[in-house]
Amino acid sequence: MNFRLFLTAFFFCLSLIPAAMAQESASPLVKVRLLPEYSRIEPGQEFWVGIEQSIAPHWHTYWRNPGDSGSAPRIHWNLPEGFEMSEIYWPTPDKIPYPPLLNYGYSDHVILLQKLRAPETLPDEALTLKADVEILVCKDECIPEFSTHTLQLNDPAGMSEDNASYIKSALARLPENTDQSVSITEKDGQLIVTKSLADGETYSDAELASFEYFPQDWGLVDNTKDAAASIKDGALVITQPRGDRSLGALKQSHGLLAYTNENGARNALDFTAAHEGTGPLMLSAETMPEDGQETDISMFLQAALFALLGGLVLNLMPCVFPVLSIKALSLVKIAEKHPEMARRHGLAYTAGVVLSFLFIAGILIALKAGGAGIGWGFQLQNPIIVALLAYILFLVGLKLSGYFEISGHFGQVGNALTQGGGLKGSFFTGVLATLVATPCTAPFMALAIGYALTQSALVSLSVFAALGFGLALPYLALSFAPALQSRLPKPGAWMQTFQQFLAFPMFASAVWLVWVLGQQVGPLGMMGVLFGMVAIAFGLWLLNHLPEKGLGRFILKALVVLSFLAPIGLIPAGTPPEMSDASFSSAPIKDQFGQAYSPESLSALLAEDDPVFVEMTAAWCITCKVNHAVAINTRSTKAAFAEHNVKYVVGDWTNYDEEITKFLNSYGRDGVPIYVYYGARDAQTGERPQAQILPQILTPETIKKAIREAS
Amino acid sequence: MHHIFKLMAAIALLFTAAPAFAEAQVGQAAPAFTATDIDGNTVSLESLKGKTVVLEWSNHLCPFVMKHYETGNMQKTQQAAMDQGVTWITIVSSAEGRQGHVSAEEAKKIAEDAGAHYSHKILDESGEIGQAYGAKTTPHMFVINPEGTLVYAGAIDDNPSPRHETVEGAKNYVLAALDDLAAGKAVEIATSQPYGCAVKYNY
C-alpha cells in the first residue's frame, strides 16, 4: 500500500518536471496527474486513463463547452503503435457565474476520462504513453498551463498498479446516457428540450427545480439564464431562453440535463437530441412558418383532407368491403320503393361510423391525456377486443353464408349488425365498419392521425370525424343519388349467392384476427377463442333445432345460452397488454432477418457509422404486413442491405409498447407502419445525414433510392 | 461610505444591467455608440456609415490576446483590414481596478510596443459599449458592413487553444468575412463561439 502511494507520488513528481519546464510558474494552479486503470495490460485490453485536475482554490477550468468565455482543455497523446484512444469523457460540470457572463466548468478537483485500447500484439517491454496537456485556468484572470506527462505500462521492473476503484469513482461522476428519445426545438425565444420519460421515471418538485441544462453546442441558450423543468404529457420538458446562434444548420445537438436528487446527489443525463425543425415532418407544427392562425387552419384542412381520403380507402379493405356490399345491396331493395327511407339509412349509417370514430378517438385522447403511452390502433393491442372482433366477424360470416336464419333474441343482434331492416341496423353497420376498419390504418391516415393527436381535443376530434365521414361517404352518396343506385345490378336470386360468397372474406378476416391473437397471447389463448367459435356455431345450430315445448326445450335453451356465454369465458383473460416481454410477443419478428428494436439497440447502432433501417410494425397492421412482404423481405432488398451494410431493426407494436410509441411520436406519428432510414455517417464531417421517413406504401425501389441518396 | 455606494451601484445594476446586456444580433443593425478615443477624437458608429467597421475587444493581459499579438496575428489582421479601407476599432471594456484597465497614455504605449494598428482605440470602462454588443471574451470580434448591419460576431479564428503555435493553420474568420464583403457576397460564417478570457466588466 505504501509502495503504491510512493509510486503515485513518483508519477506525480515525474509529471511536474515537464510541467515546470513548459510553465514559468513553479507551482501550477492545476496539478495534473495521469492514472491508468491498470499498470499491467493484456493485448487487446480496454482500460481507462484518468486525467486528474487538482485546481487551486477559487480557480476553475472548463467543460467541453466552456460557456460564455474560456477554452476547453486539450490532451494530445503520443501513443505506442497500435494503441487507440477514445475521445474525452467529461464529468458533469458546474455553472460558474462570472457576471455578466457564465461559464461551464470545474472547481477544486475533477477527473476527465479516456478509454484506451491496446493492440492485439504487445512487445515484451515497458510501454511509454505520453500526453501533452493544455488547460486554461481562470479566476479573475486566466492562465493557460501546459504540461507533459508520461505513463509507463507493463514495466517489468515496476510493481503492478491497480487504480480500478479510483477510476470507478471517477466513472460514477460521468453523466448517464439516456436512451429516451430527446428533441429540441425553439419557440417564442425559448429553447425547448423534450425528453420522453422511461417507465417509472419520476421527478419531485424539488428535483425539477434543480434542473440545469448544459448544451454541448455554443449559443443555443442564454447561458446566464436558468432552465425551467416540468413534466408534460409523459415527457420531461426543459426550457431556457435562447442564445444568439441560429438553430437552422443544427441537425442534432448533444447535451446534459443535470439535477440534484432527493438524497442531495447530483445526477446527469447525457443525450443526443434531434432538432425537430429540420425533420421531414410534413405535418409537424414546428416546421410550419410561425404566422399563426392561417397556417394552422391550412394545416388543419390538409389533415382533414388526408383523413377523408384515408377513410375512403378504408372501404376497400377486405374486412370492410363485405359489410358495405351487403348494405349496398339491401339499399337497392329499399331505394326502389322508398327513396326517402334510403336516404335515412345513409344518414344513420354515417352517424354510426362517425360517432364510433369519435368514441374511439375520445377514449384515446382521454387515455393519452392521462399519460398513457399509446397510439392509434391501441384497440387492437388488447387481446379481449381482438377476440371479440374475431367472434363478430365469424358471426357475420355465418350469417352471410346462411348458416342461421332465425328470429328471436340472438338473431336480431346478428340481423342488426348486418342486413338490418331498421335504421338501428344501419347505425350498427356503421359501428361494425369502424371496428373492423381500424386495423387497416390506410396510407393517407397515419400523418393525419399523427397530426390530430398532437392538437387540441377539438381539432383531434374534427380530424377523426373527417376520417369517419370518408369511410361513410360511398354509402352515403349511394343512398342520396338515385343515378348511382340505378347503376347497381338489379336485385335477384344472384344476391343470395353473392352474399354467401362474401362470407369468405369475413371468415378470412376472422382467421387473421385469431392469428393476431395468437401473437398476443400464444397458442393456448388462440385455441380458447377457436373453441369459442365452435361453441357459437353449436349454439346457433341448437337454436334452430329446439323442440317445440317441454322440459327438453328448456334444458336445450339453457344450453344455447351456455354456448353463447362460453366464448366470452374462453377469451384469454389475465393477459394485460404489458405482456410485451413474454416470449410470444417477439414471435412475429423471429422469422425476420432484422434485429429487435429497443431504444438501446438503436442508439448503439446510430453511434456507429453504418446506415440503419428501422421498421415499426404490428401483427394486426395489414399495410405493414404487405409492405414487409413486397418491399423488405425480398431478395433484392436484402441484397441492397447487405451491400451497403444497412443494419435492419424491427419494432413490434402488436402489443402495447411504450418505447415504440415514443419512437413513433418522435416522428410525428401515432401508428404503424413507419420506415425510417438513417444514412451512413459521413467520413469527413462525422455527421449522419438527416433521417428519412419512407412512404407508407413501400416498394423495393423506394428503399434502394433512399439508400442511394443517402450515400 | 464607499461600500454603501458600491452596494447601491450593485442594486442599480440588478435592475439595469440585465436588459443592458442585450446582445447584438447578426443580420440586424449594429448598436450605435459614441465615444472619445485615446487620442481625444470623437467616434460614432453613425458617422462611419458607408465604411466597413471591425470591432476588436481587447485586454492586453489576457493570454489569448497575447497569443494573437505576440505571434503578430492580430497586427497582420489589422493591417490587412485597414489596407482594404476598413475602420478598425479596438475596445477595452475592463472596469476600473480590474485586469486590463489602463489609462489613455498606457493604452497608447501598449499599442505602440505591440506594433498594433487601429483607426480608433476606445476605453469603455463603464462597459456600456461591450454590453450593448454582448462582448464576452477577449478577443471577441465584430464586423459591421457599410450599411451599419452586423455581419459577423465571434472568435477571431477557429482554434481556441492558448498555444501560440496554433495560430498557424487556423481559419481567420474576420478576414474571411471581409473577403466575403469585398466580393459582394453574404458572409458565409457569420457567427462562431468566441473564446478567450471573460471581459472584465464592472460588476
Side-chain angles (χ1 to χ4, degrees):
Chain A
M1 209 48 204
N2 272 343
F3 188 76
R4 200 177 128 190
L5 207 68
F6 164 77
L7 210 69
T8 330
F10 173 74
F11 274 122
F12 181 49
C13 294
L14 204 69
S15 73
L16 283 184
I17 297 166
M21 293 195 315
Q23 181 69 33
E24 281 176 30
S25 133
S27 62
L29 292 159
V30 184
K31 290 180 178 137
V32 176
R33 196 159 71 123
L34 298 187
L35 282 165
E37 192 172 11
Y38 310 105
S39 64
R40 291 199 181 281
I41 52 160
E42 303 293 325
Q45 187 177 349
E46 274 196 358
F47 59 100
W48 291 97
V49 172
I51 300 101
E52 180 190 60
Q53 306 174 27
S54 303
I55 307 161
H58 311 300
W59 290 76
H60 62 264
T61 63
Y62 294 91
W63 186 50
R64 59 193 311 165
N65 171 9
D68 284 331
S69 64
S71 179
R74 291 183 181 196
I75 302 158
H76 302 278
W77 285 93
N78 195 340
L79 300 170
E81 206 184 316
F83 274 82
E84 284 173 44
M85 180 62 89
S86 76
E87 60 164 30
I88 300 175
Y89 286 68
W90 305 79
T92 310
D94 290 313
K95 289 191 169 190
I96 302 170
Y98 189 81
L101 308 177
L102 188 133
N103 293 124
Y104 302 138
Y106 309 103
S107 311
D108 301 325
H109 183 263
V110 66
I111 302 163
L112 308 182
L113 289 158
Q114 282 185 280
K115 204 187 272 176
L116 256 166
R117 188 164 67 211
E120 291 304 328
T121 51
L122 281 176
D124 283 337
E125 56 199 30
L127 297 156
T128 305
L129 285 67
K130 218 175 105 190
D132 287 321
V133 179
E134 109 188 21
I135 296 181
L136 181 71
V137 53
C138 299
K139 189 175 70 176
D140 208 18
E141 60 266 44
C142 293
I143 296 175
E145 295 189 339
F146 307 98
S147 53
T148 303
H149 308 265
T150 51
L151 275 184
Q152 293 272 335
L153 297 177
N154 291 358
D155 183 354
M159 285 286 285
S160 173
E161 188 188 356
D162 181 348
N163 295 316
S165 60
Y166 182 80
I167 293 290
K168 209 169 157 195
S169 70
L171 285 169
R173 311 201 62 154
L174 295 183
E176 283 170 57
N177 280 317
T178 175
D179 300 314
Q180 305 302 314
S181 73
V182 180
S183 64
I184 60 170
T185 184
E186 63 180 321
K187 198 178 177 190
D188 304 329
Q190 299 278 327
L191 189 82
I192 303 166
V193 181
T194 309
K195 184 188 100 66
S196 24
L197 292 175
D199 270 343
E201 183 180 355
T202 57
Y203 299 99
S204 69
D205 287 348
E207 286 171 337
L208 286 176
S210 73
F211 261 94
E212 292 173 316
Y213 170 45
F214 296 97
Q216 250 183 56
D217 296 292
W218 69 275
L220 292 191
V221 292
D222 181 340
N223 298 319
T224 60
K225 297 286 196 304
D226 288 332
S230 61
I231 301 287
K232 211 171 129 193
D233 298 336
L236 175 65
V237 181
I238 311 284
T239 59
Q240 190 167 341
R242 276 277 284 125
D244 46 11
R245 183 184 188 184
S246 155
L247 281 190
L250 219 59
K251 284 178 181 148
Q252 57 178 33
S253 179
H254 301 273
L256 303 183
L257 291 174
Y259 67 98
T260 306
N261 72 14
E262 294 291 353
N263 307 324
R266 195 145 180 261
N267 290 349
L269 307 162
D270 191 331
F271 64 84
T272 303
H275 175 214
E276 279 179 20
T278 58
L281 310 178
M282 274 171 67
L283 289 172
S284 158
E286 269 77 20
T287 61
M288 288 298 175
E290 279 174 27
D291 43 26
Q293 284 318 89
E294 259 182 48
T295 32
D296 283 346
I297 289 171
S298 79
M299 287 246 306
F300 168 68
L301 289 178
Q302 198 186 351
L305 185 71
F306 273 123
L308 193 76
L309 288 173
L312 274 172
V313 172
L314 278 182
N315 281 291
L316 298 175
M317 294 294 158
C319 32
V320 185
F321 185 68
V323 180
L324 287 177
S325 310
I326 306 306
K327 278 314 285 181
L329 292 177
S330 66
L331 186 74
V332 177
K333 281 190 208 158
I334 305 164
E336 271 190 345
K337 291 168 196 148
H338 313 284
E340 174 58 28
M341 197 62 194
R343 285 197 280 277
R344 280 206 223 153
H345 274 283
L347 289 174
Y349 170 76
T350 307
V353 173
V354 173
L355 286 178
S356 330
F357 263 99
L358 291 180
F359 180 70
I360 300 178
I363 293 178
L364 179 57
I365 292 166
L367 288 176
K368 277 181 91 82
I374 55 171
W376 185 248
F378 76 102
Q379 314 91 311
L380 292 163
Q381 288 177 344
N382 186 335
I384 296 172
I385 291 179
V386 174
L388 285 176
L389 273 177
Y391 286 153
I392 291 175
L393 288 173
F394 178 62
L395 259 175
V396 173
L398 287 179
K399 178 78 182 74
L400 290 176
S401 60
Y403 178 73
F404 63 100
E405 281 294 342
I406 40 146
S407 56
H409 216 67
F410 301 108
Q412 271 173 1
V413 176
N415 236 23
L417 287 174
T418 56
Q419 215 162 354
L423 289 178
K424 223 195 263 176
S426 286
F427 180 85
F428 279 110
T429 311
V431 175
L432 183 67
T434 306
L435 276 177
V436 296
T438 44
C440 314
T441 304
F444 298 111
M445 287 164 57
L447 274 175
I449 290 178
Y451 162 78
L453 290 170
T454 60
Q455 302 301 305
S456 68
L458 193 69
V459 173
S460 294
L461 290 175
S462 313
V463 171
F464 276 100
L467 185 53
F469 189 68
L471 176 58
L473 200 56
Y475 183 78
L476 189 67
L478 208 57
S479 67
F480 270 78
L484 285 177
Q485 288 160 16
S486 64
R487 297 219 168 183
L488 287 176
K490 291 273 163 273
W494 67 269
M495 277 176 64
Q496 186 82 10
T497 319
F498 184 56
Q499 195 166 317
Q500 283 168 5
F501 163 73
L502 287 178
F504 293 100
M506 295 319 273
F507 287 138
S509 302
V511 167
W512 164 67
L513 280 174
V514 171
W515 174 77
V516 169
L517 196 73
Q519 307 294 339
Q520 290 175 323
V521 299
L524 211 62
M526 187 162 104
M527 193 176 71
V529 169
L530 287 172
F531 269 119
M533 289 179 166
V534 174
I536 288 173
F538 178 68
L540 286 170
W541 174 81
L542 211 56
L543 207 56
N544 275 333
H545 294 81
L546 286 182
E548 287 302 312
K549 54 188 170 200
L551 187 65
R553 180 180 167 88
F554 178 76
I555 293 172
L556 287 180
K557 240 187 162 172
L559 203 56
V560 169
V561 173
L562 200 68
S563 59
F564 285 150
L565 287 179
I568 302 194
L570 284 166
I571 290 177
T575 48
E578 290 81 11
M579 60 156 297
S580 56
D581 55 351
S583 56
F584 318 112
S585 64
S586 58
I589 54 171
K590 266 190 191 148
D591 58 357
Q592 294 172 358
F593 54 98
Q595 55 170 291
Y597 170 82
S598 72
E600 297 80 18
S601 64
L602 181 61
S603 47
L605 287 175
L606 290 180
E608 286 164 21
D609 300 337
D610 289 334
V612 181
F613 181 85
V614 177
E615 173 190 17
M616 291 299 175
T617 181
W620 39 260
C621 161
I622 298 180
T623 323
C624 309
K625 292 288 151 195
V626 171
N627 281 337
H628 185 79
V630 304
I632 299 173
N633 197 14
T634 64
R635 200 168 296 166
S636 72
T637 302
K638 282 180 180 174
F641 280 180
E643 186 192 337
H644 293 91
N645 276 329
V646 178
K647 299 285 182 290
Y648 170 50
V649 177
V650 191
D652 182 11
W653 206 48
T654 305
N655 286 310
Y656 170 86
D657 188 319
E658 203 174 332
E659 299 299 345
I660 293 179
T661 310
K662 279 175 191 157
F663 180 90
L664 296 172
N665 291 347
S666 71
Y667 285 96
R669 294 290 175 81
D670 214 67
V672 285
I674 186 172
Y675 307 96
V676 185
Y677 183 72
Y678 303 88
R681 197 178 291 282
D682 189 307
Q684 309 222 300
T685 63
E687 303 266 334
R688 279 184 186 270
Q690 181 65 46
Q692 276 189 69
I693 299 184
L694 304 189
Q696 284 192 317
I697 299 179
L698 206 59
T699 65
E701 242 349 277
T702 349
I703 296 181
K704 274 175 234 156
K705 196 166 150 243
I707 296 175
R708 264 202 313 276
E709 280 172 5
S711 61
Chain B
M1 204 53 194
H2 188 66
H3 282 288
I4 294 171
F5 274 125
K6 252 195 167 166
L7 190 69
M8 283 170 67
I11 292 168
L13 271 171
L14 271 181
F15 293 98
T16 58
F21 202 79
E23 295 171 19
Q25 294 285 324
V26 168
Q28 307 208 344
F33 62 86
T34 306
T36 306
D37 71 12
I38 54 173
D39 300 304
N41 305 313
T42 301
V43 196
S44 86
L45 190 63
E46 186 60 32
S47 69
L48 293 170
K49 276 256 167 84
K51 291 187 119 187
T52 301
V53 178
V54 172
L55 307 182
E56 170 211 353
W57 259 266
S58 194
N59 162 0
H60 70 290
L61 294 176
C62 164
F64 291 88
V65 172
M66 285 151 80
K67 162 187 164 184
H68 289 288
Y69 275 99
E70 286 172 11
T71 55
N73 186 46
M74 189 63 83
Q75 297 90 321
K76 246 188 278 174
T77 309
Q78 291 163 341
Q79 187 71 60
M82 289 167 71
D83 284 350
Q84 294 177 37
V86 169
T87 303
W88 187 285
I89 304 177
T90 302
I91 302 176
V92 179
S93 291
S94 294
E96 194 178 348
R98 304 202 61 184
Q99 189 193 52
H101 181 267
V102 285
S103 68
E105 288 315 307
E106 285 166 326
K108 278 186 215 169
K109 173 143 184 9
I110 290 162
E112 202 176 307
D113 290 349
H117 310 281
Y118 55 82
S119 317
H120 303 280
K121 188 167 180 179
I122 296 170
L123 302 179
D124 173 45
E125 59 182 3
S126 70
E128 202 178 308
I129 306 173
Q131 295 192 25
Y133 277 81
K136 291 173 179 156
T137 60
T138 52
H140 193 167
M141 312 296 297
F142 296 84
V143 178
I144 300 160
N145 75 7
E147 288 78 47
T149 305
L150 186 63
V151 292
Y152 175 76
I156 180 168
D157 65 20
D158 65 355
N159 198 327
S161 168
R163 267 184 216 277
H164 288 194
E165 49 277 30
T166 57
V167 162
E168 199 149 326
K171 179 180 167 74
N172 188 314
Y173 289 136
V174 174
L175 288 181
L178 293 177
D179 284 348
D180 286 343
L181 284 182
K185 290 190 295 189
V187 173
E188 195 196 342
I189 298 171
T191 56
S192 65
Q193 182 171 27
Y195 66 87
C197 316
V199 174
K200 314 301 178 196
Y201 284 115
N202 179 14
Y203 247 75

